[in-house]
């Protein structure tokens, strides 16, 4: 056949058409590439039935801040967390950690069922067991131990437990007969509070009225990163800056590193690590010498400013003498590295702009600031008389009494409770401390004061926190039975025999008291907002069940076997009237406050069921009225005044005997002109020097907590991991911030992988040159480097704590970090 | 040798139809419902509201298909002697949902809300669902095609939003 | 007759590659096919798992594929444009080289288009360009312009092929049906020739603006954004010059290989290469001029965002590529082409290969550093191509070569009829033409004398 | 017709990144991992940008939350070949990801680099799929996505307002980032309404825009630090 031109063209065009159409048909129906199964699956369950969508109140417990959240529950799924607008702490706002809460709830690495150890300890081999079986095992072991009359050999290490949870643990341990309920959260509890307690006496805690302050002088305090209640602080900060029409608050921040707080501050004063207290003393000396302090307040309300004579007639040095004799300006300049003119300017401004706050560290004691440095910082607040004033330091109001009737104990329990504690708290050297986690490792290892038979881990993960990893592992190996309640396979859980997975906060009851930044007590109530996605159980309910299974004496610890009933029972007193009310809209609050402060409004008894319903709906209760002029509450010292010279400290040292006293005194700062005994009671700021060979280890280490991860127990949350080091473009691994010039000197470049080596150990890190690092000081983030606990945390980065060594703080026995030096070794 | 165009013509026709078939086969295959439900009887003779069974219509994004429980609330005792009716009770007895098949479906990238169209805008069901209410047997395919063109023409007519982002999420 | 014998010799030599198939050919095809098959695997791997298998990232959203796209489209300028210009200019030396040039164009455009397809996140939705195309987008100008160019080039390649296909239909004992269909009933009547030459000359004129537009529009993809060192008015001509530059280099390489493999020294003569070499030298200087202007303007403007890109090329992480480009596209060609002694076959091959590499680097240097240095303080991007991108680059080259090799086995790579036509008419035509250039000779009674061909002939001999 | 805009007061902002996470939670943004972070494939519609100026010890670091600017004259829209990115009549620049062909021209054309690409198919561990927001689509593989000013919230807010027979109020529509901002540093509202807080604040003497000189007319305004 002979092809005609026309035919050819037809053939060409038809085949082209076919090709195009075929391609179109084929491509538009390709499986796998066109659909998104995740959403289809997600929507499938709602196509059949109407979906109920509701917002349920709960409390955020990603950190200790106590924010109220609303959970958007869509059908049976929680899809979003937002702030509870009625909540006085956060007023409808939520921080990054709070927003990420669902990644805790729906974390794929949560332990789904109770597990019994299958292999050797620490091997990580498990077999699932039923809850009945698991509870049976625990109950029997506990029963047996108690029967042998050794209930004190049960120990429970908890995390930052509070409220109803704490009550349950306490009652359980008390009824069982063990004194060993230890909060294991080393380094984290030593904020300003111990120092404030020495100077202002024990109170329900202190707070800074940031919102109303006009000037804030921050001494290395992680205000915008690691405050105990971040959202509250952020809210206050927003108002501090722009809340008042003309009066924009000014923030001056002294820190070796340009942190977020430093970046946000109006002025950043780079300062040698650990010399914050000395800077405070330098500022105090300007205030005193130039007579810029509040004379009225100092004479009326303070003790120990001038020299004074004690009972025996000896002349004791006062604060003024301390400042003049020990902190001449030259010395301050030398030790802090801050130029003289900056110190003078800062001091004058601090005195001029009122109300001015001096804030030390509110967060973890990771920056080597001892209690004396913090006293020195706090002394500035007293010098300008900014105590119990709007925009000043406030003592928290008394909380509502939510206690349950006391536990009735039998003879076995009484005997057990009379034994000394595992951590030595409440006795001798630790007479004023409630928990001393620092001594747990040694005492466990040395079986002091007695061996521990059963160890319960309830929210604590000592292996990650500990600076004595090897020794603690050895100690854990000696304990016959370890039960972990962790919802995750964290480091310490690896050494457990039995894991009873806890639920996360959206799945359980809790009742908890916290405070606003203005000292108002807030009672949070949260309940399970949805069915648990895993077969975990609330540890408190487990303890209740175990107690019940153990029969009479122990079972009596709890008036009910349901945690909900305990919450109700605790809240009963609130219905009796007095001050306080369920959360309400802001306008309502303002009105109440006005009425109450002028004495017009008297609350009467209300129906409890109505109150209960109100609390459940609104998320909690608070007392919006604060009485500033209650000086006896605010200054609960032996002298009834603000003590520059702490009589509490003097009493403490006096109580110690011989050796103990000498040991404790040894840890207090050395002074040149004054006696050790006085130095131990005064704000004798000092700079701890970093040990180690300075030529070999040329760089000073300045560890800091990653803001976005701080306070989070379970860091297995990819949203948070992804934004850790945004200021240096580094995430998912540990980095080391170094000044570009120093980097050049030690021969490393941005992006290099190095080992950071200190005399204590080494970690691998990525070099990030950072203009905000001081020359010759390297900054390392703490919070990464878990070895287990989930796919987004195990093996992510390194544990910087490995570089550090510990020392004990004399008053609280808390573990603190010794300043360290390090060098970089290229990998 | 001459006059043999049919070969190329046939090729041309063949390829066109094959392509057409391919394109079309991507959409709409016939739908068989588990129960021969009679919309006409329920809505026209008994004068029941659509929302009685499609409970989500006015309050939800999706109209929802009736669960066995909704059906059984009327059909617990036999109302007719239909074998189809018996199926409801079987499903219910076995604690199973009736596996209704969806006839109308917008793609997942479309943010369509019944609530918005019915409750807020006050549209009739028939506007989009055609004569569904008068069907005596379950139709094999949707009596009215849901297409973007149809959405757009209606939106234009009623001066509703025609921004892409109003419907495409 | 003598001419007939010569014609037969021409046909014998030029059809030999089609008639004879040897082992080397099979090996070449097999090796190339293997690489192509591997590239197909790589592509399907990418198709299945997504563009994540490449080295692309944020902010370096474009990498090898777009580089290849610009590069291949550039190479495509070799053929049709050069051939069209030579045809219009009636350059007689074109006859042996137009075919091989035109083939480059048609073959290589496919890889330009394919590169874009490879770069798409959703190649399955390519028809959205038709369904909901948006003509304000430079990318759609590209689509239009390239489609146009591809069609025009294909027709422009096909038209001069028709007489040759007819020759094959009559003289080659292979694939009769194919040649039969494709020859469109060509019988070689003068009427047919007249029509064909008319169409060819019309196409030659038409194809030039299309070709220029293609690369201008390709440059517009970059120039129409506000990104530093992309947003440049010079980009249109700069890209066109670059395209012709790389095109000629590619053509020289192709011709040299053809000459060597098929032993066509008698047809692709040194003079062809010399002429192309000179053209290439001109383009070298022109390209250098444009590059210089482009960078100098940026440098003097000294806008920080522009300078970030500038320095990353000049002394930063893209230093190697930048200076590599300068060496390949400027230093080497100037050394070898400016000097008659060095402008040998080897010299020209070295420069051509250098230019091809250099021009690829130029495209890379245009695409990547701008993206790697975003305006806002993000972390500077880094781009390291993955094995998929490298495989696809290799695959594109292999596939192109494979298609070219196959073409030479299906069709004569040197136009037979044009050579024959040249032998038959060219000399007289040219002399006629040259005569018209010269001043008229009025010495003999004011009557215009024809050019004294005979005298010249005798003078020459 | 409203013109939605945002104001971010850097003086109040504490760089806490709540907006960053809130956005991820609201908009079904896939989880990152070390590999994605290393290769620059993690997605943040809202991101915290550090701008370091000057040198130690007098350096200033400006920390800026950066959403899509929703430019009035968006460079991304000009270049899209398939109409997949468009600006709505209310000024929201949307990405119709069902139409996007993934050419990534808009991502390269955007001077703010705020458009993101789905390099892989977005995936979650099964249990995490529970938390996906039903109002927001999970994007496909190979398409571009971007900040939408949470426009699904606008639809819902508008529904509610219309149902209650009133005008859309200032609290009816608020993106997730603005809603959660603890320091109250972010404002959102109608720029065309002279009484709205955004309209007033965007005329403040502290106001500035990112890359103002490019003529993109961003609808996100920043207020600088200091008095």
């Amino acid at each position: 056949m002979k092809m005609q031109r026309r035919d050819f063209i037809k053939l060409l065009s038809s085949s082209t058409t076919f090709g195009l159409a075929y391609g179109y048909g084929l491509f538009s129906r390709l499986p796998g590439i066109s659909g998104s199964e995740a959403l289809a699956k997600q929507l499938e369950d709602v196509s059949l039935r109407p979906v109920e969508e509701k917002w349920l109140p709960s409390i955020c417990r990603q950190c200790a801040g106590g924010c109220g959240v609303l959970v958007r529950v869509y059908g049976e799924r929680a899809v979003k967390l937002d702030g509870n607008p009625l909540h006085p702490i956060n007023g409808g706002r939520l921080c990054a950690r709070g927003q990420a809460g669902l990644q805790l709830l729906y974390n794929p690495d949560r332990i789904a069922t109770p597990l019994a150890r299958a292999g050797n300890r620490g091997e990580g081999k498990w077999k699932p067991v039923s809850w009945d079986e698991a509870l049976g095992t625990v109950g029997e072991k506990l029963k047996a131990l108690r029967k042998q009359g050794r209930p004190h050999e049960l120990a429970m290490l908890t995390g930052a437990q509070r409220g109803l949870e704490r009550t349950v643990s306490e009652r359980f341990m008390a009824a069982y007969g063990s004194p060993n309920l230890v909060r294991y959260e080393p380094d984290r509890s030593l904020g300003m509070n111990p120092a404030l307690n020495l100077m202002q006496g024990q109170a329900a805690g202190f707070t800074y009225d940031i919102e109303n302050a006009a000037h804030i002088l921050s001494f290395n305090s992680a205000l915008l990163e690691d405050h105990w209640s971040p959202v509250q602080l952020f809210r206050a900060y927003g108002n501090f800056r722009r809340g008042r029409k003309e009066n924009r608050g000014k923030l001056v921040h002294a820190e070796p590193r340009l942190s977020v707080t430093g970046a946000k501050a109006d002025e950043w004063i780079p300062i040698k690590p650990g010399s914050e207290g000395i800077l405070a003393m330098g500022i105090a000396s300007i205030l005193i010498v130039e007579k810029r302090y509040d004379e009225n307040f100092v004479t009326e309300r303070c003790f120990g400013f001038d020299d004074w004579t004690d009972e025996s007639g000896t002349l004791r040095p006062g604060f003024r003498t301390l400042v003049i004799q020990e902190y001449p300006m030259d010395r301050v300049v030398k030790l802090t590295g801050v130029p003289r003119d900056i110190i003078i300017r800062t001091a004058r401004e601090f005195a001029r702009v009122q109300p001015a706050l001096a804030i030390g560290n509110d967060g973890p004691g990771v920056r080597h600031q001892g209690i004396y440095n913090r006293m020195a910082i706090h002394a500035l607040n007293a010098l300008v008389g900014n105590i119990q004033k709007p925009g000043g330091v406030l003592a928290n109001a008394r909380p509502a009494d939510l206690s349950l009737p006391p536990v009735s104990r039998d003879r076995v329990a009484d005997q057990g409770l009379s034994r000394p504690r595992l951590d030595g708290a409440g006795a001798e050297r630790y007479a004023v401390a409630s928990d001393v986690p620092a001594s747990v490792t040694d005492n466990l290892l040395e079986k002091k004061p007695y061996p521990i038979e059963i160890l319960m881990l309830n929210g604590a993960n000592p292996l990650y926190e500990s600076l004595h990893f090897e020794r603690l592992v050895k100690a854990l190996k000696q304990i016959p039975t370890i039960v972990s309640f962790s919802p995750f396979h964290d480091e310490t859980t690896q050494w457990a025999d039995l894991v009873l997975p806890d639920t996360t906060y959206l799945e359980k009851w809790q009742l908890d008291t916290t405070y606003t930044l203005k000292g108002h007590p807030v009672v949070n109530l949260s309940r399970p907002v949805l069915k648990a996605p895993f077969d975990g159980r609330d540890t408190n309910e487990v303890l209740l069940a175990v107690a019940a299974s153990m029969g009479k004496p122990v079972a009596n610890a709890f008036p009910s076997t349901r945690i909900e009933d305990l919450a109700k029972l605790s809240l009963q007193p609130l219905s009796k009237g007095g001050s306080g009310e369920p959360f309400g809209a802001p306008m309502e609050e303002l009105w109440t406050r006005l009425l109450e402060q002028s004495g017009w409004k008297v609350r009467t008894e209300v129906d409890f069921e109505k109150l209960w319903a109100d609390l459940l709906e609104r998320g909690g209760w608070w007392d919006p009225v604060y009485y500033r002029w209650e000086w006896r509450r605010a200054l609960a010292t032996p002298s009834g005044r603000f003590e520059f010279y702490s009589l509490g400290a003097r009493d403490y040292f006096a109580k110690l005997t011989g050796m103990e006293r000498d040991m404790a005194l040894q840890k207090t700062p050395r002074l040149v002109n004054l006696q050790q005994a006085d130095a131990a009671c005064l704000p004798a700021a000092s700079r701890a020097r970093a040990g180690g060979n300075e030529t070999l280890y040329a760089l000073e280490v300045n560890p800091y907590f990653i803001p976005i991860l701080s306070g989070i127990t379970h860091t297995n949350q990819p949203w948070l991991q992804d934004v850790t080091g945004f200021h240096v473009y580094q995430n998912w691994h540990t980095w080391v911030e170094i000044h570009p010039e120093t980097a050049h000197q030690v021969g490393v470049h941005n992006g290099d992988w190095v080992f950071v080596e200190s005399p204590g150990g080494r970690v691998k890190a990525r070099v990030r040159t950072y203009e905000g690092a001081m020359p010759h000081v390297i900054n390392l983030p703490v919070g990464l480097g878990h070895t287990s606990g989930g796919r987004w945390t195990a093996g992510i980065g390194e544990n910087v704590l490995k570089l550090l060594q510990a020392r004990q703080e004399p008053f609280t026995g808390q573990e603190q970090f010794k300043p360290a030096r390090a060098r970089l070794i290229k990998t | 040798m001459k006059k043999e165009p049919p070969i190329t013509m046939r090729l041309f026709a063949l390829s066109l139809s094959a392509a057409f078939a391919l394109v079309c086969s991507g959409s709409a295959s016939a739908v068989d419902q588990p129960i021969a439900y009679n919309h006409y009887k329920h809505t026209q003779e008994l004068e029941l509201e659509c929302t009685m069974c499609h409970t989500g219509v006015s309050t939800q994004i999706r109209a929802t298909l009736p669960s066995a429980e909704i059906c059984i609330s009327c059909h617990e005792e036999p109302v007719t002697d239909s074998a189809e009716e018996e199926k409801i009770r079987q499903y219910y007895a076995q604690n199973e949902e009736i596996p209704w098949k969806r006839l109308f479906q917008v793609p997942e990238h479309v943010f369509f809300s019944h609530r918005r169209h019915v409750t807020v805008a006050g549209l009739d069901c028939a506007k989009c669902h055609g004569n569904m209410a008068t069907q005596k047997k379950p139709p094999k395919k949707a009596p009215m095609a849901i297409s973007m063109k149809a959405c757009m023409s209606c939106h234009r007519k009623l001066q509703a939003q025609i921004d892409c982002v109003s419907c495409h999420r | 007759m003598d001419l007939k014998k010569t014609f037969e010799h021409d046909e014998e030599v030029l059809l030999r590659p089609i008639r004879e198939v040897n082992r080397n050919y099979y090996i070449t095809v097999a090796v190339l096919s293997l690489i192509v098959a591997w590239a197909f695997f790589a592509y399907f791997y990418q198709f299945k798992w997504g563009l994540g298998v490449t080295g692309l990232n944020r902010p370096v959203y474009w990498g090898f594929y777009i580089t290849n796209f610009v590069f291949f489209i550039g190479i495509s300028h070799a053929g049709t444009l050069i051939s069209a210009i030579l045809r219009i200019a009636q350059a007689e030396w074109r006859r042996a080289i137009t075919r091989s040039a035109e083939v480059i164009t048609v073959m290589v455009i496919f890889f330009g288009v394919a590169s874009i397809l490879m770069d798409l996140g959703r190649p399955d939705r390519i028809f959205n360009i038709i369904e909901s195309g948006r003509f304000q987008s430079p990318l759609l100008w590209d689509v239009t312009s390239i489609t146009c160019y591809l069609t025009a080039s294909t027709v422009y390649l096909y038209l001069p092929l028709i007489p040759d296909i007819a020759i094959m239909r009559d003289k080659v004992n292979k694939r009769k049906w194919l040649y039969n269909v494709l020859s469109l009933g060509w019988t070689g009547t003068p009427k047919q020739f007249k029509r064909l030459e008319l169409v060819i000359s019309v196409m030659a004129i038409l194809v030039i603006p299309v070709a220029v537009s293609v690369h201008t529009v390709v440059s517009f993809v970059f120039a129409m954004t506000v990104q530093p060192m992309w947003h440049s008015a010079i980009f249109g001509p700069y890209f066109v010059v670059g395209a012709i530059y790389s095109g000629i280099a590619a053509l020289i390489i192709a011709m040299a290989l053809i000459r060597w493999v098929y032993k066509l020294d008698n047809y692709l003569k040194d003079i062809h290469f010399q002429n192309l070499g000179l053209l290439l030298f001109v383009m070298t200087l022109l390209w250098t001029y444009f590059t210089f202007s482009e960078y100098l303007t940026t440098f003097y403007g000294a806008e920080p965002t522009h300078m970030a890109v500038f320095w990353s090329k000049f002394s930063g992480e893209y230093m190697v590529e930048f200076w590599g480009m300068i060496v390949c596209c400027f230093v080497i060609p100037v050394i070898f082409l400016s000097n008659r002694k060095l402008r040998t076959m080897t010299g020209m091959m070295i420069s051509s290969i250098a230019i091809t590499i250099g021009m690829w680097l130029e495209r890379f240097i245009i695409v990547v550093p701008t993206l790697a240095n975003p305006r806002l303080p993000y972390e500077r991007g880094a781009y390291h191509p993955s094995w998929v991108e490298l495989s696809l680059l290799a695959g594109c080259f292999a596939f192109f070569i494979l298609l070219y090799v196959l073409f030479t086995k299906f069709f004569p790579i040197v136009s037979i009829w044009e050579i024959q036509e040249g032998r038959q008419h060219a000399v007289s035509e040219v002399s006629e033409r040259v005569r018209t250039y010269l001043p008229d000779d009025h010495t003999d009674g004011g009557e215009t004398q024809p050019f004294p061909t005979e005298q010249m002939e005798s003078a020459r001999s | 017709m409203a013109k939605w805009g945002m104001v971010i007061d850097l003086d109040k902002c504490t760089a806490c990144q709540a907006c960053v996470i809130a956005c991820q939670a609201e908009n079904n943004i896939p989880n990152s991992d070390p590999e994605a972070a290393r290769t620059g494939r993690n997605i943040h519609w809202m991101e915290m940008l550090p701008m370091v100026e000057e040198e130690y010890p007098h350096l200033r670091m400006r920390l800026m939350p950066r959403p899509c600017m929703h430019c009035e004259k968006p460079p991304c829209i000009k270049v899209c070949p398939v109409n997949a990115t468009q600006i709505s009549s209310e000024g929201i620049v949307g990405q119709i990801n069902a139409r996007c062909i993934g050419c990534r021209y808009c991502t390269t054309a955007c001077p703010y680099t705020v458009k993101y690409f789905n390099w892989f198919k977005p995936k979650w561990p099964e249990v995490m799929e529970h938390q996906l927001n039903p109002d927001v689509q999970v994007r496909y593989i190979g398409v571009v996505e971007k900040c939408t000013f949470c426009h699904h919230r606008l639809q819902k807010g508008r529904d509610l307002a219309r149902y209650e027979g009133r005008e859309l109020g200032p609290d009816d529509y608020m993106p997730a980032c603005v809603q959660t901002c603890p320091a109250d540093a972010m404002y959102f509202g109608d720029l065309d309404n002279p009484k709205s807080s955004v309209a007033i604040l965007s005329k403040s003497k502290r106001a500035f825009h990112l890359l103002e000189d490019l003529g993109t007319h961003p609808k996100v305004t920043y207020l600088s630090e200091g008095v």
Side-chain angles (χ1 to χ4, degrees), chain B residues 111-129:
Chain B
F111 188 32
F112 178 86
S113 156
H114 274 90
R115 181 177 51 205
R116 178 177 309 149
H117 285 83
V118 178
T119 313
V120 179
L123 293 183
D124 252 2
C125 300
K127 198 101 188 166
C128 306
H129 293 285

Side-chain angles (χ1 to χ4, degrees), chain A residues 458-478:
Chain A
N458 184 3
N461 183 14
L463 270 187
Y464 178 74
E465 309 272 9
S466 174
L467 299 177
H468 319 283
F469 182 83
E470 302 293 331
R471 285 159 60 79
L472 186 53
V473 166
K474 221 161 143 195
L476 289 177
K477 278 185 186 159
Q478 289 177 3

Side-chain angles (χ1 to χ4, degrees), chain A residues 159-197:
Chain A
Q161 256 189 346
R162 283 201 320 226
L164 192 61
E165 274 186 2
R166 188 69 190 168
T167 313
V168 170
S169 301
E170 274 170 1
R171 292 181 83 90
F172 179 84
M173 294 300 274
Y176 186 81
S178 168
N180 296 319
L181 179 63
V182 182
R183 265 203 188 87
Y184 198 100
E185 28 162 3
D187 307 310
R188 303 216 168 200
S189 54
L190 190 73
M192 286 297 279
N193 268 350
L196 268 76
N197 284 342

